[in-house]
């Protein structure tokens, strides 16, 4: 099958090359000036591109352009564009050597061209689904500290701030810190970490100075982009060296933690560089680099996640607190009245003492491009990114990613192949590390034994029946943070890979994950519109090989024996305009297959109705799916108190979980009933009778092996231009139905017995009865499974933009989302504020060369982060509503191509959290100088 696919790809490439070599050529030479229609000001950097060709140029410092090319006919079309202006299409010929062009200011983006929604160019008005676009001028003028954060001010987008320079984009119901349901592309390269299956967001992404535009499709995009474009697609397109030659430099300095509330005031530094040049007419190159450094936001939430037995917060002896690691290790000791069990947890350490608060990002890229002709261009790109950040228990120190891409493209096709490799650097899991650390200075068996002895009064000098006194005794010998003993042991554990022993062959490994995974991806697309007369048609496909290599630290692979998984896909899309182009009908379907899962078809059907040039109505229906990420498939991490494992046959063959385990809920219910029976004096402590009476409460693990998630989504939208295009309204409604959602479940394997027979269940009942911290007879596993229930999400997203006199632009958007979980369990990450609102005011020229932008964002409260059902003990993980105010002022010195910008993200320094347990995000204040030297 692989050979057949390869032959088809080679044949497709040859057909593309042949199709692009049969046209006759007419030489056209044209030059002129590009100016503002109203002010007659030269538009430096305006783009002049030959329609349907891979050739273009940029207006120089005087607004002048010159272009020479071969045309198919005596006449050709030029597309002249400039961010912030309406694109103009003009006809040129060899008889018309001078063509001056004036462009009209366009502050409403509805007519801007996008390619992501349908994989072909179309305006936002004509797109069949919602598309959010940020162009190069928006990138430059966002009041946020970078363009990626600036996306939060768009409708329907949630940004979770995992760290100062680590933001995660979510859409339509999900608000997940590890969002693997959104695909992020940078010039066609999947930016997710191959071994984790999760995007690094902009930590290892693209610097602002090289971003031409960002296009976001909220919701499912699997019909054109494959499996994991399940709940959104971010498409980042960088600047081509032929279209954007020149030098750009950005120097930015700032500060956060300015009030010293959670951390001392800290500096923020950002340096970016881009240089591009065209040599002759055929060769172009560019080099980019960026370095950002600062101090991360501080985690302050230490709320109790496990209130039990009437205890809560600091009074809870079994406390499992947010951002305190090590207290996850807990067990029941017979310390209550009548020896009833009381949950006791080990003493942990604060996250802030374990995770470095210095964050940085270094990223660089180089592109070499060669034009064989006006229709054929070959390019090679090298991307490298390295950084440090943290989220939850992960300290991602010095992680890096390297990509190589080779791409051949024409005016109606592309073929690209890329290789991506990532390295875990010095990254470690702080929670796992501190669990290992605690075991190194005192084993849990000994610690719980000491606690029990002290509480029961067996230790002289220790007050009996006192939880605090018992804990203090059990903690004797606990290393103090910052001490030589602590530092030596801690550094050893976080440098030792998970699951690997030390130099003396001792221990069960440390907390470092050693990821060295890779991805090889080849894809192609061809536009058959000139060959097929019935409809406009595109078709394409891809082959991907994943090499999961964790060196045995987080997956079941072994050092030198990575896991290889292949994926295949093909898609086709047809578009037909009817009734004098008033109705556009689009149909597409894609087929994806993987070595581990059966093939999936994902269709999409859409219509766009345009009764006139001002009104646009769109409707679409599509399905999508998401493959389980590598952790859900092959995970293998021993936490000490439990083991995290993937749920595929390859993993189950090792641990035999599927047929030999009970649900943790049923074990807990059995143990509770068993203990209550024995505590009743009337039963005379008859253990055998208790086992026989309650063993039927034990339930076998009911889930099958992990499968892909599925979504079906319907969207209808309306866009309208009013008042000579100065007022723009966009409103849409969507309904998403989710099935087979991936959740984590805990199961228990007993030392003796299993669910296979009545006799075996009895043996299991005895094992559960005999279990204690001093005599463990149970093993706990956390597995990734598919929920039996469904979830749905309904939403309304609206956006309004109006241009006021003197070019003041008011933009506002409002998002309403209702998430419905028809499940007894929560779905991780399926929780988003019900209401969100943005109101912005901007003017790029208040007075000569002075502009500003201000945005107010309000986010509704989240009453319960985990969507905990009413019949389950609720954990208070609510987040209050919050608002932020972002502001920037910029002054342009046109003679030198320099812009001075002063701005702030969260002007009032109002601290807030984007997710339960997350960092408290305050204000960031900055000053930047940007130089843009455009030359040919």
């Amino acid at each position: 099958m692989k050979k057949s696919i390869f032959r088809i790809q080679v044949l497709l490439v040859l057909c593309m090359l042949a199709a692009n070599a049969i046209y006759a050529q007419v030489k056209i030479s044209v030059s002129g000036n590009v100016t503002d229609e109203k002010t007659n000001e030269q538009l430096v950097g305006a783009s002049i591109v030959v329609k349907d060709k891979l050739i273009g140029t940029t207006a120089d410092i005087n607004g002048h352009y010159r272009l020479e090319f071969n045309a198919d006919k005596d006449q050709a079309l030029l597309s002249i564009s400039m961010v912030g202006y309406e694109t103009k299409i003009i006809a040129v010929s060899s008889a018309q050597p001078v063509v001056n062009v004036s462009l009209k200011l366009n502050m409403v983006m509805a007519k801007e061209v996008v390619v992501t929604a349908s994989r072909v160019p179309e305006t936002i008005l004509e797109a069949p689904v919602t598309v959010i676009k940020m162009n190069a001028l928006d990138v430059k003028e966002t009041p946020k500290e970078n363009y990626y954060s600036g996306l939060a001010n768009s409708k329907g987008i949630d940004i979770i701030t995992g760290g100062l320079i680590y933001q995660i984009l979510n859409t339509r119901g999900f608000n997940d810190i590890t969002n693997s349901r959104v695909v992020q592309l940078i010039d066609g390269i999947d930016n997710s970490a191959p071994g984790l299956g999760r995007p690094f967001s902009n930590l290892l992404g693209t610097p602002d100075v090289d971003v031409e535009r960002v296009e976001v499709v909220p919701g499912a995009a699997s019909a054109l982009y494959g499996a994991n474009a399940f709940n959104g697609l971010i498409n980042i397109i960088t600047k081509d060296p032929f279209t954007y030659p020149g030098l750009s430099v950005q120097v930015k300095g700032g500060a956060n933690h300015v009030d010293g509330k959670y951390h001392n005031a800290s500096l923020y530094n950002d340096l970016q560089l881009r240089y591009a040049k065209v040599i002759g007419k055929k060769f172009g190159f560019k080099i980019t680099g960026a370095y950002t450094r600062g101090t991360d936001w501080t985690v302050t939430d230490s709320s109790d996640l496990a209130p039990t037995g009437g205890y809560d917060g600091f009074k809870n002896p079994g406390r499992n607190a947010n951002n305190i690691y090590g207290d996850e290790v807990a067990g029941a000791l017979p310390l209550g009245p009548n020896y009833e069990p009381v949950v006791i947890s080990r003493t942990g350490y604060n996250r802030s003492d374990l995770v470095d608060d210095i964050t940085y990002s270094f990223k660089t890229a180089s592109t070499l491009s060669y034009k064989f002709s006006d229709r054929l261009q070959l390019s090679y790109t090298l991307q490298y990114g390295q950084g440090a950040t943290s989220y939850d228990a992960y300290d991602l120190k010095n992680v890096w990613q390297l990509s190589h891409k080779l791409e051949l493209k024409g005016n109606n096709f592309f073929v690209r192949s890329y290789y991506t490799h990532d390295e875990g650097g010095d990254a470690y899991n702080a929670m796992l590390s501190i669990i290992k650390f605690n075991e190194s200075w005192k084993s849990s068996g000994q610690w719980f034994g000491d606690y029990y002895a002290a509480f029961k009064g067996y230790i002289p000098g220790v007050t009996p029946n006192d939880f605090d006194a018992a804990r203090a005794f059990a903690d004797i010998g606990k290393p103090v943070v910052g001490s030589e003993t602590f530092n030596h042991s801690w550094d050893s554990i976080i440098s030792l890979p998970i699951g690997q022993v030390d130099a003396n062959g001792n221990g069960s490994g440390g907390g470092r994950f050693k990821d060295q995974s890779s991805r090889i991806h080849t894809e192609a697309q061809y536009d058959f519109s000139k060959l097929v007369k019935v409809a406009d048609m595109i078709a394409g496909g891809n082959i991907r090989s994943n090499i999961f290599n964790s060196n045995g630290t987080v997956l079941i692979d072994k050092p030198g024996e990575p896991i290889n998984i292949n994926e295949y896909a093909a898609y086709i899309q047809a578009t037909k305009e009817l009734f004098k182009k008033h109705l556009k009908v689009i149909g597409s379907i894609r087929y994806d297959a993987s070595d581990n899962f059966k093939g999936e078809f994902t269709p999409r059907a859409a219509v766009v109705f345009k009764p006139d040039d001002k009104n646009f109505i769109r409707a679409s229906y599509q399905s999508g799916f998401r493959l389980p990420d590598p952790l859900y498939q092959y995970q293998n991490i021993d936490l000490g108190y439990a083991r995290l494992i993937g749920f595929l046959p390859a993993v189950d063959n090792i641990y035999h979980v599927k047929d030999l385990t009970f649900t943790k809920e049923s074990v807990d219910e059995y143990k509770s009933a068993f203990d209550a029976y024995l505590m009743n004096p009337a039963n005379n402590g008859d253990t055998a009778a208790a086992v026989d009476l309650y063993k039927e409460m034990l339930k076998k693990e009911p889930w099958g092996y992990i499968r892909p998630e599925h979504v079906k989504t319907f969207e209808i939208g309306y866009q309208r231009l009013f008042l000579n295009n100065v007022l723009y309204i966009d409103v849409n409604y969507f309904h998403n139905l989710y099935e087979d959602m991936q959740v984590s479940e805990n199961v228990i394997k007993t030392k003796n017995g299993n669910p296979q027979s009545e006799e075996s269940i009895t043996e299991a009942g005895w094992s559960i009865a005999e279990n204690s911290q001093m005599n463990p007879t149970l093993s706990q596993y956390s597995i990734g499974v598919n929920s039996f229930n469904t979830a749905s999400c309904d939403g309304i997203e609206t956006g309004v933009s109006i241009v006021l006199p003197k070019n003041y632009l008011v933009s506002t958007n409002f998002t309403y989302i209702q998430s419905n979980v028809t499940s007894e369990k929560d779905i991780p990450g399926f929780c988003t504020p019900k209401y969100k609102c943005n109101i912005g005011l901007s003017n790029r020229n208040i007075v000569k060369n002075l502009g500003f932008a201000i945005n107010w964002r309000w986010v509704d409260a989240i009453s319960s982060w985990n969507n905990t059902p009413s019949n389950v003990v609720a954990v208070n993980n609510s987040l209050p509503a919050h608002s932020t105010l972002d502001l920037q002022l910029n002054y342009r010195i046109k003679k030198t191509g320099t812009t001075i910008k002063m701005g702030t993200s969260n002007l009032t320094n109002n601290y807030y959290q984007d997710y339960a347990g997350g960092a408290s995000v305050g204000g960031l204040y900055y000053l930047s100088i940007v130089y843009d030297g455009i030359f040919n």
Side-chain angles (χ1 to χ4, degrees):
M1 182 178 180
K2 294 181 182 178
K3 289 184 178 180
S4 298
I5 294 176
F6 176 75
R7 290 167 183 164
I8 291 172
Q9 282 198 323
V10 171
L11 181 60
L12 180 60
V13 172
L14 293 176
C15 291
M16 293 172 181
L17 296 175
N20 280 272
I22 61 175
Y23 296 93
Q25 303 288 292
V26 176
K27 191 170 184 178
I28 294 179
S29 180
V30 62
S31 63
N33 296 315
V34 185
T35 58
D36 183 296
E37 183 179 272
K38 186 175 182 180
T39 65
N40 205 36
E41 179 183 4
Q42 294 90 355
L43 296 183
V44 180
S47 174
I48 302 91
V49 178
V50 182
K51 201 170 170 94
D52 296 328
K53 285 183 177 288
L54 298 175
I55 187 168
T57 189
T58 303
D60 62 19
I61 195 69
N62 299 310
H64 182 76
Y65 75 94
R66 180 176 180 81
L67 197 58
E68 192 174 282
F69 59 96
N70 294 320
D72 303 329
K73 302 177 182 178
D74 293 336
Q75 192 178 72
L77 296 178
L78 296 186
S79 175
I80 298 91
S81 61
M82 176 82 177
V83 288
Y85 289 82
E86 291 186 4
T87 299
K88 182 174 286 188
I89 306 295
I90 62 172
V92 296
S93 67
S94 56
Q96 191 180 15
V98 177
V99 177
N100 295 318
V101 183
S102 60
L103 298 181
K104 182 180 179 181
L105 191 66
N106 175 31
M107 301 181 68
V108 176
M109 293 181 62
K111 291 187 176 182
E112 290 214 7
V113 174
V114 293
V115 299
T116 306
S118 302
R119 281 189 175 263
V120 293
E122 60 193 351
T123 66
I124 293 176
L125 290 167
E126 297 169 327
V129 294
T130 298
V131 184
I132 297 161
K133 181 177 180 180
M134 174 181 277
N135 62 35
L137 196 55
D138 298 321
V139 169
K140 194 173 183 179
E141 297 183 352
T142 178
K144 290 286 191 180
E145 66 275 16
N146 58 60
Y147 75 92
Y148 206 88
S149 298
L151 289 168
N153 296 336
S154 304
K155 71 167 187 171
I157 290 182
D158 291 288
I159 293 282
I160 284 186
T161 302
L164 179 65
I165 56 177
Y166 184 62
Q167 293 84 27
I168 300 91
L169 183 149
N170 289 263
T171 67
R172 297 191 172 179
F174 284 91
N175 223 11
D176 188 357
I177 186 66
T178 61
N179 190 12
S180 54
R181 294 180 175 93
V182 173
V183 168
Q184 178 170 298
L185 303 176
I186 300 177
D187 290 335
I189 299 177
D190 187 340
N191 191 40
S192 64
L196 299 177
R198 299 165 180 176
F200 278 125
S201 68
N202 201 39
L203 179 71
L204 308 179
T206 303
D208 296 38
V209 295
D210 194 37
V211 176
E212 182 192 62
R213 66 186 188 275
V214 183
E215 297 176 7
V216 181
V217 176
S222 295
L224 290 177
Y225 293 95
N228 296 331
F230 179 83
N231 211 58
L233 178 76
I234 311 169
N235 194 9
I236 301 170
I237 297 95
T238 67
K239 296 176 180 177
D240 181 86
F242 287 101
T243 309
Y244 297 92
L247 174 67
S248 297
V249 181
Q250 175 179 285
V251 180
K252 183 181 295 184
N256 64 334
H257 300 292
V258 293
D259 58 358
K261 183 177 181 179
Y262 299 123
H263 195 286
N264 294 332
S266 305
L267 294 178
Y268 170 81
N269 301 295
D270 182 36
L271 174 63
Q272 300 184 15
L273 170 72
R274 179 185 185 273
Y275 178 70
K277 185 172 179 60
V278 179
I279 301 174
K281 296 180 180 180
K282 293 184 176 295
F283 180 71
F285 73 91
K286 71 173 179 180
I287 301 172
T288 64
Y291 181 76
T292 308
R293 185 181 177 90
T295 301
D296 249 334
W297 300 115
T298 305
V299 171
T300 59
D301 183 0
S302 59
S303 56
D304 190 2
L305 300 176
T308 57
Y311 303 106
D312 193 6
F314 290 102
K315 295 181 179 181
N316 180 12
R319 184 175 185 233
N320 178 12
N322 256 331
N323 301 305
I324 293 179
Y325 300 143
D327 59 2
E328 296 80 10
V329 178
L333 297 177
L335 303 179
N338 300 316
Y339 298 99
E340 67 184 49
V342 176
V343 175
I344 306 295
S345 64
R346 287 202 65 167
T347 308
Y349 288 83
N350 290 325
R351 179 185 186 275
S352 57
D353 293 327
L354 309 175
V355 175
D356 195 350
D357 60 6
I358 297 299
T359 182
Y360 78 90
S361 171
F362 170 74
K363 41 205 174 190
T364 183
S366 300
T367 297
L368 305 176
S369 296
Y370 185 80
K371 288 187 175 181
F372 295 100
S373 68
D374 296 346
R375 293 180 175 276
L376 196 62
Q377 179 175 322
L378 179 67
S379 63
Y380 164 76
T381 298
L382 170 67
Q383 293 180 357
Y384 176 82
Q386 179 176 311
T389 188
S390 62
Y391 69 87
D392 288 350
Y394 291 96
D395 192 348
L396 303 178
K397 293 172 67 78
N398 305 321
V399 296
W400 60 266
Q401 188 175 87
L402 177 70
S403 295
H404 300 270
K405 184 187 74 168
L406 189 65
E407 182 171 23
L408 181 69
K409 66 178 180 179
N411 63 312
N412 58 353
F413 80 95
F414 70 79
V415 181
R416 71 170 66 102
S417 185
Y418 63 84
Y419 167 81
T420 298
H421 176 81
D422 64 49
E423 290 272 354
D426 302 311
Y428 61 91
N429 183 304
M431 181 181 72
L432 175 60
S433 297
I434 208 63
I435 290 173
K436 302 286 187 181
F437 177 90
N438 273 343
E439 293 293 332
S440 71
W441 70 266
K442 182 180 285 190
S443 69
S444 289
Q446 182 182 347
W447 190 93
F448 283 106
D450 289 348
Y451 191 105
Y452 177 82
F455 189 89
K456 300 300 287 186
Y458 301 148
I459 307 298
V462 178
T463 305
N465 300 315
D466 187 313
F467 290 122
D468 293 334
R471 182 173 298 277
F473 177 77
D475 281 344
I476 292 176
K478 180 185 177 207
V480 177
V481 173
S483 67
E484 183 177 348
T485 301
F486 178 92
N487 291 340
H488 176 74
S489 181
W490 177 248
D491 290 344
S492 297
I493 287 175
I494 63 175
S495 62
L496 184 65
I498 297 170
Q500 295 185 20
V501 298
D502 60 22
N504 298 318
N506 301 318
S508 59
R512 179 183 173 190
F513 53 91
K514 196 175 179 182
D515 183 29
Q516 295 177 317
S517 299
S518 303
R519 175 187 298 126
I520 302 172
H521 182 100
T522 300
E523 64 178 314
Q525 177 180 296
Y526 192 86
D527 188 339
F528 292 91
S529 299
K530 291 184 177 181
L531 303 176
V532 179
K533 302 302 181 183
V534 177
D536 293 335
M537 186 177 295
I538 62 170
N542 68 261
I543 300 173
R544 173 178 291 192
S545 179
N546 300 296
I547 302 98
F548 302 142
N549 183 15
S550 76
N551 292 277
T553 57
V554 295
L555 306 178
I556 64 168
D557 63 315
K558 298 177 182 179
E561 299 179 20
I563 301 169
N564 295 309
I565 299 298
N566 298 304
E567 300 170 15
Y568 316 90
Y571 61 88
I572 188 169
Q573 175 177 271
T575 303
K576 180 68 174 179
E577 292 184 323
L578 303 169
F579 306 113
K580 298 181 179 180
K581 297 187 178 182
H582 288 296
L583 180 68
K584 181 168 69 171
V585 181
I586 307 105
S588 58
I589 190 167
R590 181 180 175 111
Y591 178 78
D592 287 82
S594 168
D595 288 349
N596 283 344
F597 305 99
K598 66 178 183 180
E600 300 261 0
F601 285 99
T602 48
R604 182 177 79 172
V607 294
V608 179
F609 177 57
K610 181 179 69 172
D612 52 48
D613 291 335
K614 303 295 182 182
N615 293 277
F616 296 80
I617 301 170
R618 65 182 184 273
S620 65
Y621 171 82
Q622 60 185 310
S623 63
F625 77 106
R626 170 185 171 243
L627 295 173
D629 63 40
L631 293 179
Y632 267 79
Q633 295 185 52
Y634 294 108
Q635 186 171 226
N636 183 26
I637 303 176
D638 183 8
L639 296 178
Y641 67 93
R643 181 177 288 273
L644 309 180
I645 62 171
F647 208 32
L648 285 179
V651 186
D652 194 43
N653 289 339
I654 301 173
Y655 297 105
H656 305 289
V657 166
K658 188 175 185 300
D659 296 322
L660 300 181
T661 59
F662 301 93
T663 66
K664 186 176 185 300
E665 287 82 355
S666 71
V667 171
D668 290 343
E669 291 172 2
Y670 166 83
K671 189 65 168 63
S672 178
F674 178 92
D675 290 338
Y677 182 89
L678 292 187
M679 283 187 291
N680 187 342
N683 295 323
N684 298 317
D686 191 343
T687 303
V691 170
D692 190 61
L693 184 62
Y694 297 114
K695 66 182 181 182
E696 297 302 324
M697 299 178 69
L698 297 174
K699 303 298 181 185
K700 178 185 177 298
E701 173 277 313
W703 302 282
Y705 294 127
I706 192 72
R707 306 184 309 277
E709 296 180 339
H710 294 89
V711 62
K712 296 178 181 177
T713 179
F714 170 77
E715 177 181 335
I716 185 169
Y718 173 67
Q719 296 178 88
R720 171 71 192 266
L721 289 169
F722 295 89
L723 307 176
N724 195 28
N725 299 342
V726 299
L727 174 62
Y728 168 60
I729 295 177
D730 179 14
V731 58
N732 64 274
Y733 161 80
F734 66 87
H735 172 76
N736 292 351
L737 179 65
Y738 299 101
E739 296 177 329
D740 302 318
M741 300 304 292
Q742 296 167 18
V743 297
S744 294
E745 293 288 351
N746 293 316
V747 295
I748 301 294
K749 182 188 286 187
T750 56
K751 183 177 181 180
N752 298 306
N754 56 60
Q756 297 300 317
S757 67
E758 188 77 15
E759 182 180 353
S760 296
I761 293 175
T762 300
E763 292 180 18
W766 279 100
S767 284
I768 297 169
E770 295 167 354
N771 181 65
S772 69
Q773 283 296 329
M774 285 75 81
N775 178 36
T777 59
L778 307 180
S779 299
Q780 180 172 318
Y781 297 88
S782 179
I783 58 176
V785 299
N786 298 94
S787 173
F788 294 127
N789 300 283
T790 61
S792 65
C793 180
D794 294 270
I796 298 174
E797 300 165 336
T798 63
V800 178
S801 298
I802 183 169
V803 181
L804 301 177
K806 297 185 179 181
N807 292 327
Y808 283 89
L809 175 65
V810 177
S811 300
T812 181
N813 57 71
F814 175 80
T815 302
Y816 164 82
I817 290 181
Q818 177 64 53
S819 300
N820 304 297
V821 182
T822 59
S823 168
E824 296 177 0
K825 298 286 182 184
D826 66 297
I827 295 176
F830 192 63
C831 187
T832 191
K834 181 174 287 188
Y835 304 103
K836 294 184 288 291
C837 177
N838 284 281
I839 300 175
L841 175 67
S842 63
N843 191 323
R844 289 167 176 164
N845 212 41
I846 315 172
V847 294
K848 188 175 182 180
N849 298 331
L850 179 67
F852 83 99
I854 186 170
N855 188 87
W856 177 75
R857 177 175 171 82
W858 178 81
V859 178
D860 193 16
I862 299 179
S863 59
S864 178
W865 180 260
N866 288 323
N867 289 320
T868 307
S870 59
N871 63 334
V872 177
V873 176
V875 176
N876 182 17
N877 264 345
S878 61
L879 295 177
H882 68 269
S883 63
T884 57
L885 189 66
D886 305 326
L887 171 68
Q888 67 89 4
L889 295 171
N890 65 82
Y891 182 75
R892 300 176 300 281
I893 307 173
K894 292 189 175 181
K895 289 184 178 180
T896 61
T898 303
T899 301
I900 301 173
K901 177 180 172 182
M902 179 176 65
T904 173
S905 174
N906 192 359
L907 174 66
T908 59
N909 201 34
N910 176 33
Y911 287 93
Y912 65 92
Q913 288 177 251
D914 281 327
Y915 68 103
S920 294
V921 182
L924 175 65
Y925 308 87
Y926 63 86
L927 176 69
S928 71
I929 300 175
V930 181
Y931 168 76
D932 279 314
I934 299 174
F935 49 85
N936 294 322

